[in-house]
Amino acid sequence: TIPIEPYSYGYTKVVDSQGAWYFIDEFGLNSLRKTFYAARNFSDGLAAVKPGRSLAWGYLNPGGTMSIEADYLKAGDFTMGYAFVSKDLKQPGYIIDKSENEYLRGLGLSGISKFNEDGYAIAYSEKLIDSGGSERQETKYYMIRIEQP
């Protein structure tokens, strides 16, 4: 296996010939000793992973333990301490922090960009509107700012 992405928090993800994902360190060792059904690289100290044959995503820390259990069917990367998630693919998503506190649930978000270095992200919500027998999609955009202490 040859890593094709940069290392983050000392690891990069790779996939073996059977489709199992795992993280290798700079020496090419699977030092976390875990494999996953799917994985993304570490971002802001956590990596989104699907353990076993799970359809749900959770978040792994660089020590190799799950910081957030696999409960989410949508799971974005953490940036500035927050990630976009949803537990149901047919329901809107929301933002969580690393303690799983929920934010912006009432906006009915469909997605969000990563937060930039100034703490801003663009979020959007999409829904179908029935206007006199014909449906049209309405999209609303939101500028979100995280204030860091």
Side-chain angles (χ1 to χ4, degrees):
T1 56
I2 299 171
I4 57 171
E5 295 189 29
Y7 287 85
S8 178
Y9 292 85
Y11 300 99
T12 190
K13 68 177 192 254
V14 293
V15 63
D16 68 17
S17 60
Q18 283 79 43
W21 290 87
Y22 59 98
F23 293 91
I24 60 171
D25 61 22
E26 286 131 0
F27 301 105
L29 302 174
N30 180 3
S31 57
L32 296 181
R33 301 192 193 328
K34 295 182 186 271
T35 59
F36 303 95
Y37 184 61
R40 292 204 298 274
N41 270 332
F42 284 92
S43 175
D44 200 16
L46 296 174
V49 296
K50 288 183 176 181
R53 288 282 180 203
S54 173
L55 296 177
W57 292 89
Y59 293 91
L60 181 79
N61 66 41
T65 60
M66 296 296 289
S67 288
I68 298 175
E69 292 303 317
D71 289 331
Y72 300 100
L73 295 182
K74 289 183 193 174
D77 292 335
F78 269 90
T79 57
M80 297 192 74
Y82 299 90
F84 176 76
V85 297
S86 179
K87 290 187 177 185
D88 183 338
L89 294 176
K90 295 181 181 180
Q91 296 297 317
Y94 48 95
I95 294 172
I96 61 168
D97 62 20
K98 292 180 181 181
S99 298
E100 290 189 86
N101 295 307
E102 299 175 1
Y103 304 91
L104 306 178
R105 213 180 226 287
L107 291 180
L109 297 178
S110 301
I112 187 169
S113 69
K114 287 187 173 189
F115 289 95
N116 68 17
E117 62 275 357
D118 295 323
Y120 288 96
I122 303 293
Y124 67 97
S125 62
E126 296 176 325
K127 62 181 175 180
L128 289 176
I129 305 293
D130 185 358
S131 55
S134 65
E135 288 185 342
R136 65 180 176 83
Q137 184 169 311
E138 178 181 273
T139 303
K140 290 184 180 179
Y141 294 92
Y142 304 93
M143 176 73 71
I144 298 170
R145 180 167 186 252
I146 300 297
E147 293 188 15
Q148 297 293 326

